Amino acid sequence: MLTSVLSLLALGFIASVVLSVASRVFYVEEDPRVEAVSEALPGANCGGCGFAGCDAYAAAVIQDPSVSAGLCCAGGPEVSARVAELAGKAAGSADPQISFRRCVKDEGKVKKKYEYQGLDSCAASAQLEDGPDACKYSCLGFGDCVKVCNFNAMYLENGLVQIDPDKCVACGACVGVCPNKILEMIPRRARVQVFCSTLDKMKDVMNVCEAGCINCGKCVKKCPAQAISNAEGNIRIDHAACLAYGPECEEACVDACPRSILRLMCHNSVTLKAEAAAAAAAAAPEQQPQANA
Amino acid sequence: MEYFLLLISAVFVNNVVLAQYLGQCPYLGCSKEKGVSIGMGAAVIFVMIIATPITWLIQYNVLVPLGLDYLQTIMFILVIAALVQLVEMFLKKAVPPLYSSLGIFLPLITTNCAVLGVAIVVQREGFDLGTSTYYSFATGLGFMLALILLAAIRERLEISRLPLSMKGVPAALVLAGIMSMSFMAFAGMI
């Protein structure tokens, strides 16, 4: 009886001594701020900041002075302010962004090349002859992006993916998963956008879609801010340049588009329209002196 | 030849997970991805080949001379728990990348019955110190094999059509049962 108690006590004592010595010998200094930042972050591990997860971002923002405190798009401005306070950095005023689907195949009446029967996934269907749609830059509509969205901001409607602007936090998860690369991150304030992502030209587009962009480049020439280019095979809008130029161009690009596929963004949704109006109202007093100068 | 048979026995015939049903928790919990299952398997092998010789020494230098064989289980648990803590601290200091990749699995091994199981099995079989260590390594290898096999199947299953109610853990449990039955084919080998 006594030996058993004593030997157990002895073993426990040895273990505790060894562990306490080891905790001194192998002591690793950890910054308590890292933990504080991890707690302040939403913990969704969406990867929108470009790090492996919330913990990785927390460690980076404390240890690396070049990492901005405003990278957490899921948490929004409140989280950015909190992180900046903890990390002792100025909050980055990141322009809030939103995911945007560059395809209107329902309007364009894109036909099916074949009847697809297989895995219920965009990635799988895109393997077969670039997907069942006649246009190989179309929204395949199986909702790979819907599945990957951590914020329930995406849903399917009439075979097209829709984005709920109230819920989208611009983490970018959907952009990476789309096999046809039709999803794009754009600023919420973006004024115009091409609602098509085709790399084809003229007749090739006309043949498959009634609405698609034919990459004619008229908008490129009309834009006074040189914010539009088609360097990569399709029309790209430099939203920073477009927003910086402001509304004086009176959306020359939209008027110039012969296919009406370059459109005003605020017509896209009620929420965005309200946001754009609020942003314009806020920006108006500041822009007045600039115009005079 | 004897050592080779011991290896075959530990990895296939008496596989710690599929024939002895030890360590089911990490078997189901850490088998969603192959990468994770390899990390977990390596961590378990690592702890096993440290824990088994130490518990062996305690058995023959403390428990047997003092006639305390009945304290085997509690003593071994104590030793293994302390040991895992020590390994964790050591890895954190010496090999931070390995520490961060093992993450939560390392402290979980503290309560992994496969580690305790192999420490007790080598006593029951009456192996000497060298053979015990070798056998614990082989057992760990068997654990890793079971984990990787299940992870590979589950990765495939992830993209195939299953009834919604069967997705995830239910399918994994059925799979574990089928794998266990298939490993019964090795039963008569040795």
Side-chain angles (χ1 to χ4, degrees), chain B:
Chain B
M1 190 61 200
E2 190 195 332
Y3 282 97
F4 179 70
L5 281 181
L6 209 56
L7 183 77
I8 296 294
S9 157
V11 175
F12 295 109
V13 184
N14 294 315
N15 186 296
V16 67
V17 183
L18 298 169
Q20 301 186 52
Y21 312 113
L22 292 171
Q24 293 292 329
C25 163
Y27 177 55
L28 291 169
C30 304
S31 59
K32 283 206 187 87
E33 289 166 33
K34 259 180 285 184
V36 172
S37 67
I38 291 170
M40 182 65 184
V44 167
I45 293 177
F46 184 61
V47 173
M48 273 182 178
I49 54 177
I50 297 175
T52 310
I54 291 181
T55 51
W56 192 94
L57 287 172
I58 285 174
Q59 170 81 10
Y60 283 97
N61 292 311
V62 180
L63 297 182
V64 173
L66 294 174
L68 296 172
D69 292 27
Y70 59 92
L71 283 181
Q72 193 188 47
T73 311
I74 194 161
M75 281 281 200
F76 282 12
I77 290 176
L78 192 63
V79 169
I80 290 167
L83 203 66
V84 173
Q85 292 289 317
L86 192 66
V87 168
E88 192 184 351
M89 284 183 212
F90 173 72
L91 283 184
K92 198 171 181 180
K93 178 83 175 177
V95 207
L98 183 64
Y99 174 79
S100 55
S101 69
L102 287 178
I104 187 71
F105 302 133
L106 207 50
L108 276 182
I109 298 171
T110 318
T111 50
N112 186 336
C113 60
V115 179
L116 179 66
V118 70
I120 291 176
V121 163
V122 295
Q123 306 300 343
R124 209 169 56 199
E125 300 280 333
F127 290 146
D128 61 37
L129 183 58
T131 318
S132 296
T133 314
Y134 176 74
Y135 185 78
S136 68
F137 169 71
T139 306
L141 222 53
F143 179 81
M144 195 170 172
L145 175 77
L147 220 61
I148 293 172
L149 285 180
L150 186 65
I153 299 174
R154 282 179 77 174
E155 275 185 2
R156 286 285 192 90
L157 217 58
E158 199 61 23
I159 53 162
S160 52
R161 280 194 202 178
L162 279 184
L164 199 61
S165 55
M166 286 299 285
K167 274 213 161 177
V169 178
L173 283 167
V174 173
L175 266 177
I178 296 172
M179 279 180 72
S180 191
M181 280 198 280
S182 64
F183 265 65
M184 278 185 176
F186 293 115
M189 262 176 65
I190 293 173

Side-chain angles (χ1 to χ4, degrees), chain A residues 132-215:
Chain A
D133 289 327
C135 172
K136 58 180 176 176
Y137 307 97
S138 68
C139 174
L140 293 162
F142 292 101
D144 281 13
C145 46
V146 177
K147 285 171 208 140
V148 86
C149 182
N150 276 328
F151 302 94
N152 295 327
M154 308 187 95
Y155 55 96
L156 288 171
E157 202 174 273
N158 306 328
L160 276 171
V161 64
Q162 308 285 342
I163 295 137
D164 184 342
D166 293 328
K167 291 182 182 161
C168 179
V169 298
C171 69
C174 49
V175 174
V177 84
C178 179
N180 283 355
K181 306 264 174 279
I182 63 155
L183 290 167
E184 192 175 300
M185 279 300 151
I186 61 168
R188 272 173 179 263
R189 308 190 288 133
R191 296 164 60 213
V192 292
Q193 177 62 298
V194 185
F195 282 41
C196 174
S197 56
T198 187
L199 299 175
D200 285 341
K201 280 196 160 102
M202 309 289 175
K203 200 163 175 354
D204 294 338
V205 180
M206 301 269 214
N207 285 344
V208 295
C209 183
E210 290 176 18
C213 169
I214 52 173
N215 286 315

Side-chain angles (χ1 to χ4, degrees), chain A:
Chain A
M1 176 64 193
L2 194 63
T3 41
S4 61
V5 172
L6 282 179
S7 58
L8 256 183
L9 271 178
L11 190 67
F13 183 71
I14 292 169
S16 64
V17 167
V18 168
L19 282 182
S20 59
V21 169
S23 70
R24 282 291 174 83
V25 174
F26 300 126
Y27 182 69
V28 181
E29 202 162 317
E30 265 190 46
D31 202 325
R33 291 180 301 166
V34 174
E35 205 178 324
V37 172
S38 309
E39 276 172 26
L41 293 171
N45 291 324
C46 66
C49 51
F51 291 91
C54 291
D55 286 344
Y57 175 53
V61 80
I62 294 290
Q63 282 153 13
D64 189 347
S66 66
V67 174
S68 156
L71 291 181
C72 183
C73 44
E78 306 99 65
V79 169
S80 295
R82 181 97 185 90
V83 171
E85 187 190 322
L86 289 165
K89 290 178 181 176
S93 57
D95 208 358
Q97 297 203 314
I98 190 168
S99 178
F100 178 75
R101 164 180 50 83
R102 286 183 67 174
C103 178
V104 284
K105 73 169 185 183
D106 51 342
E107 289 176 36
K109 302 193 179 72
V110 175
K111 293 209 169 54
K112 293 252 185 254
K113 270 188 296 200
Y114 59 88
E115 205 54 51
Y116 176 76
Q117 285 187 332
L119 273 183
D120 194 13
S121 128
C122 303
S125 71
Q127 301 278 318
L128 201 61
E129 293 272 314
D130 296 316
D133 289 327
C135 172
K136 58 180 176 176
Y137 307 97
S138 68
C139 174
L140 293 162
F142 292 101
D144 281 13
C145 46
V146 177
K147 285 171 208 140
V148 86
C149 182
N150 276 328
F151 302 94
N152 295 327
M154 308 187 95
Y155 55 96
L156 288 171
E157 202 174 273
N158 306 328
L160 276 171
V161 64
Q162 308 285 342
I163 295 137
D164 184 342
D166 293 328
K167 291 182 182 161
C168 179
V169 298
C171 69
C174 49
V175 174
V177 84
C178 179
N180 283 355
K181 306 264 174 279
I182 63 155
L183 290 167
E184 192 175 300
M185 279 300 151
I186 61 168
R188 272 173 179 263
R189 308 190 288 133
R191 296 164 60 213
V192 292
Q193 177 62 298
V194 185
F195 282 41
C196 174
S197 56
T198 187
L199 299 175
D200 285 341
K201 280 196 160 102
M202 309 289 175
K203 200 163 175 354
D204 294 338
V205 180
M206 301 269 214
N207 285 344
V208 295
C209 183
E210 290 176 18
C213 169
I214 52 173
N215 286 315
C216 62
K218 275 190 181 163
C219 49
V220 179
K221 293 185 197 106
K222 289 281 182 193
C223 180
Q226 273 116 45
I228 308 180
S229 65
N230 63 351
E232 287 161 25
N234 71 351
I235 302 291
R236 304 226 141 246
I237 295 168
D238 181 350
H239 292 290
C242 172
L243 285 163
Y245 192 85
E248 289 134 63
C249 64
E250 287 172 347
E251 285 85 26
C253 51
V254 176
D255 296 333
C257 184
R259 301 276 283 175
S260 300
I261 191 72
L262 207 171
R263 299 172 187 180
L264 284 170
M265 271 305 289
C266 58
H267 293 167
N268 198 27
S269 100
V270 179
T271 315
L272 287 181
K273 196 172 185 176
E275 275 179 24
E286 293 165 25
Q287 273 174 0
Q288 213 56 46
Q290 270 180 4
N292 293 340

